[in-house]
Amino acid sequence: IGRKRVLLLGWIAGIPIPILIFFAPNWWWIIGANIFLGFNQAFTWTMTVTSQIDLSANHQRGLAVGINEAMGYIAVGAAGLATGYLAVLYGPRWSLLVFGLVVIALALVLLLWIKDTIYWVRAEHTQQEADNPAAAPAQSMSSTFLQVSFQDRTYRALCQGGVTNKIADTLVWVLFPLFFKFHGLGVIYIGWITGVYAMVWGLCQFWTGHLADRIGRKPPVLLGFALLSAGLAGTALVNHFAAWMVTAALMGLGMALLYPNLIAAMSDIAPAMQRGRILGTYRYWRDTGYAIGGVILGLVAQWSDKILPAIWLTAGIVAFSGLWIAFAVQETHPRRI
């Protein structure tokens, strides 16, 4: 139905979120708000990154995804900072209500100027058909899901890489604060460590996506998994705030190298008219990593009554995931001389 209509549906789904939180008499209302937030994120962020890929040339996809993801995470950080200050001044409910409705209203107004990129997709599809008349016809949604998730070797490897980086991200946001608290750090110090991780990740994506356009997707992705695994292992081994700041930066750089370029690699091999559903399938598996990570790492931490085993397990999973991609994925964007 086009990217713009899905964007519109996503922002309409966002309208109940601040209202439900403001009037919430119990936690079930907050859960309901999070369900609407899930719809909003799935529809809007998936369409913005897909649309930017639609508009970019083959040698610009990494840059396009890097810009999208960097701006998104910078906005997440800025919104968190702004609402934090507003909550102190006016209370959390009023600040979230006003801030949320203003953001949604601005998004709906901006939609008036946004052109649907589906027309670029159709033009690209026509060119692909002319270049390769024997290309396979478009598949159904269920067939595409099965192919991307399980049947195609390259798609499957990239999807598991997406799951893995979200398992690592879950560890950082859920268990790292507890780990550092057990080591005697206060809230401000913990905030600095997790903040450095997020800032390095977000800002470096402006550069890492463009890097992959120049040297190929595979080297940055593999280096990213290596740095992420090393950062996790380093966090487990050291025992000082300054050292943890370094490992957090290392993890953030690793995420910046792998995160946008996994999406770019998927888009390199996705036919134009199937790009939306293929990227949607990838993002489904990637973000399911939050749930998988929460369950697995929570069980490990509870079973051992310590967080350190969960950190080592995640470091091993990340290293294994990088090796999987190294052996299963051929370069999707050969180096430009």
Side-chain angles (χ1 to χ4, degrees):
I1 64 173
R3 318 307 197 204
K4 187 174 180 177
R5 289 180 181 178
V6 179
L7 265 176
L8 176 61
L9 291 173
W11 283 113
I12 291 173
I15 295 173
I17 299 168
I19 298 172
L20 285 169
I21 293 174
F22 183 79
F23 290 105
N26 56 59
W27 280 105
W28 289 109
W29 284 52
I30 306 301
I31 293 171
N34 273 277
I35 291 172
F36 280 103
L37 178 62
F39 281 111
N40 167 264
Q41 287 288 288
F43 281 41
T44 56
W45 207 334
T46 304
M47 285 305 100
T48 58
V49 70
T50 304
S51 296
Q52 285 195 275
I53 292 172
D54 292 340
L55 293 172
S56 62
N58 292 346
H59 63 280
Q60 296 175 322
R61 286 175 180 151
L63 177 62
V65 177
I67 291 173
N68 181 280
E69 296 290 345
M71 293 303 298
Y73 282 101
I74 290 170
V76 168
L81 185 64
T83 51
Y85 277 106
L86 290 171
V88 171
L89 294 173
Y90 305 107
R93 294 202 188 212
W94 275 107
S95 62
L96 289 175
L97 177 69
V98 175
F99 187 88
L101 291 178
V102 167
V103 168
I104 293 166
L106 287 172
L108 291 171
V109 170
L110 286 172
L111 275 174
L112 297 174
W113 283 274
I114 292 176
K115 294 183 179 180
D116 200 321
T117 61
I118 193 67
Y119 305 110
W120 280 264
V121 175
R122 290 169 181 163
E124 185 182 351
H125 172 68
T126 300
Q127 183 62 49
Q128 288 179 349
E129 281 193 323
D131 294 340
N132 186 15
Q139 298 176 309
S140 66
M141 183 65 205
S142 59
S143 297
T144 300
F145 180 83
L146 290 174
Q147 181 194 18
V148 173
S149 303
F150 307 111
Q151 295 169 352
D152 185 276
R153 178 182 179 181
T154 301
Y155 284 140
R156 182 174 63 231
L158 294 172
C159 284
Q160 69 79 29
V163 173
T164 298
N165 76 66
K166 288 301 185 185
I167 291 175
D169 201 33
T170 303
L171 175 77
V172 172
W173 295 115
V174 177
L175 294 183
F176 266 23
L178 295 175
F179 176 74
F180 296 132
K181 183 175 176 62
F182 291 153
H183 282 77
L185 296 188
V187 173
I188 293 176
Y189 287 105
I190 294 171
W192 269 106
I193 294 171
T194 55
V196 164
Y197 161 76
M199 286 187 288
V200 171
W201 175 5
L203 291 172
C204 285
Q205 287 180 113
F206 286 118
W207 164 71
T208 56
H210 178 63
L211 175 68
D213 289 333
R214 305 298 300 179
I215 69 171
R217 314 294 183 208
K218 202 169 175 180
V221 167
L222 295 182
L223 179 59
F225 275 100
L227 292 178
L228 180 58
S229 182
L232 288 163
T235 301
L237 291 171
V238 300
N239 191 18
H240 189 270
F241 171 70
W244 281 323
M245 289 281 283
V246 174
T247 59
L250 196 65
M251 291 173 58
L253 180 58
M255 289 292 272
L257 284 161
L258 68 89
Y259 196 79
N261 293 319
L262 286 172
I263 302 177
M266 292 289 292
S267 67
D268 288 336
I269 55 178
M273 288 303 291
Q274 300 180 59
R275 183 180 298 135
R277 67 182 68 174
I278 288 173
L279 291 182
T281 302
Y282 166 78
R283 287 172 62 85
Y284 161 78
W285 282 113
R286 187 192 70 185
D287 292 347
T288 300
Y290 279 132
I292 296 171
V295 172
I296 293 176
L297 300 180
L299 287 173
V300 170
Q302 181 172 319
W303 171 76
S304 63
D305 201 28
K306 296 179 180 178
I307 295 174
L308 201 59
I311 297 176
W312 281 113
L313 174 63
T314 307
I317 291 173
V318 170
F320 174 78
S321 179
L323 289 173
W324 185 339
I325 291 175
F327 288 105
V329 176
Q330 298 293 320
E331 178 57 64
T332 63
H333 185 72
R335 179 172 183 166
R336 296 176 65 214
I337 305 300

